[in-house]
Amino acid sequence: MITPSTLSVLFILLKKTRCEFMITMVYLFFLFRNFSQYKNRFTMPGNFDSIMYSWNMGPIHFIGFSTEVYYFLQYGLKQVVNQYEWLKQDLMEANKAENRKARPWIITYGHRPMYCSDKSIWDDCSTRNALVRVGIPTLHMFGLEDLFNENGVDLAIWAHEHAYERLWPLYNYTVLNGSLEEPYTNPKAMVHITTGSAGCKENHSSLTDEMPAFVGFRSTDYGYSRIHALDKTKLIVEQISDDQNGKIIDSFTIIRDKHEPYTFY
């Protein structure tokens, strides 16, 4: 039954821009569906509704997971806890001596980043309390920054922000470069990139006027990233700009002579 209050809500939604309207509808869709549309349409490796999975390619162990479970806590903590425990087990398996020898590179990827330099007040990556980094509100449990660093994750790939950002090796807002001259040679903490610039009707992100000290490079050009594992000790990451006709606008090489947990603890 359509009531005056229902019409009022519809009127407010329709006053929004097309993009804002779609964002609202997507949010409401997930709010009442518990990600079921995704779970029933995509089949990824493993037995966890396709929201967390891992796979191997050459010398790389890839881990995909959902950051959204931290932001839809109305479903309860079960999804957060289950994913955290699964990540612990997957990383433990990946770090077994024989596995880390065969596939020394561990690369994770998820949607919402731990860090960013976006101006938006809606994205917690621009604050010091990003849920995916520090864990659920107040309790600060099940955060992933400690877990990933304790297990020697080499590279964390993020999206969500419509820009490209390369961070210095970083833990808890502290830059932990390998050295001043070669920051990515034997870095003392995990390396992050955000690569969300492939294109969207929402246009580019608005970045802060001043680049934070933890950011090494950033760009709002439309483009994409590519990764090349040269061998078991060298990983090349490049950012390609479509706005500049395929120009490589950023390139860096992570060198890790030993793939092991970081030692700043």
Side-chain angles (χ1 to χ4, degrees):
M1 176 174 142
I2 298 178
T3 66
S5 61
T6 304
L7 290 173
S8 177
V9 170
L10 289 172
F11 177 72
I12 292 170
L13 288 174
L14 290 170
K15 284 181 66 178
K16 293 174 177 287
T17 65
R18 179 180 180 184
C19 184
E20 289 173 327
F21 177 74
M22 290 305 296
I23 291 170
T24 304
M25 295 307 294
V26 168
Y27 175 80
L28 292 173
F29 185 76
F30 282 126
L31 179 65
F32 295 109
R33 297 286 184 171
N34 194 15
F35 311 110
S36 60
Q37 298 298 329
Y38 169 83
K39 293 174 181 178
N40 286 286
R41 283 172 167 77
F42 293 89
T43 302
M44 307 306 289
N47 301 305
F48 296 95
D49 293 329
S50 297
I51 67 170
M52 47 190 173
Y53 54 91
S54 62
W55 52 286
N56 302 316
M57 177 177 285
I60 304 175
H61 180 66
F62 289 99
I63 303 174
F65 64 98
S66 172
T67 60
E68 304 312 294
V69 297
Y70 289 89
Y71 297 88
F72 291 85
L73 295 176
Q74 65 270 26
Y75 300 141
L77 296 179
K78 185 177 179 180
Q79 291 187 115
V80 176
V81 176
N82 286 349
Q83 177 172 262
Y84 186 84
E85 292 301 320
W86 178 86
L87 285 167
K88 281 176 61 177
Q89 292 302 314
D90 190 84
L91 287 164
M92 185 184 301
E93 183 69 21
N95 273 293
K96 287 183 177 178
E98 64 273 22
N99 292 333
R100 199 84 201 236
K101 182 178 180 181
R103 291 173 293 276
W105 295 104
I106 297 178
I107 298 177
T108 65
Y109 54 95
H111 182 63
R112 302 189 193 221
M114 295 185 185
Y115 301 92
C116 68
S117 62
D118 194 282
K119 285 183 178 179
S120 173
I121 62 172
W122 303 108
D123 293 330
D124 66 358
C125 58
S126 60
T127 74
R128 288 182 172 265
N129 293 302
L131 299 185
V132 69
R133 186 176 78 84
V134 302
I136 58 178
T138 307
L139 298 176
H140 287 177
M141 296 173 64
F142 310 113
L144 299 182
E145 183 170 45
D146 282 344
L147 180 64
F148 286 177
N149 278 282
E150 288 168 359
N151 285 278
V153 171
D154 302 288
L155 178 65
I157 301 174
W158 311 100
H160 191 59
E161 305 303 328
H162 300 160
Y164 167 77
E165 290 194 281
R166 165 174 53 84
L167 308 189
W168 301 118
L170 188 66
Y171 173 75
N172 194 25
Y173 284 88
T174 300
V175 173
L176 294 165
N177 291 341
S179 67
L180 184 62
E181 296 79 16
E182 297 180 313
Y184 299 105
T185 297
N186 296 316
K188 298 181 178 67
M190 183 172 68
V191 178
H192 302 248
I193 64 167
T194 294
T195 175
S197 60
C200 175
K201 290 181 179 179
E202 297 171 45
N203 298 315
H204 305 289
S205 291
S206 296
L207 302 179
T208 56
D209 296 331
E210 183 176 347
M211 191 166 75
F214 60 83
V215 178
F217 178 84
R218 62 185 186 173
S219 171
T220 56
D221 282 8
Y222 285 123
Y224 59 93
S225 303
R226 62 190 182 197
I227 298 171
H228 182 198
L230 282 180
D231 52 39
K232 293 183 177 183
T233 63
K234 298 182 184 67
L235 186 81
I236 297 175
V237 182
E238 296 177 323
Q239 179 66 11
I240 314 303
S241 169
D242 285 339
D243 289 348
Q244 300 185 50
N245 299 314
K247 179 182 177 181
I248 299 174
I249 58 172
D250 189 46
S251 178
F252 68 103
T253 302
I254 301 174
I255 298 174
R256 292 199 74 190
D257 295 323
K258 292 183 179 180
H259 296 268
E260 57 189 6
Y262 300 100
T263 58
F264 54 82
Y265 289 96

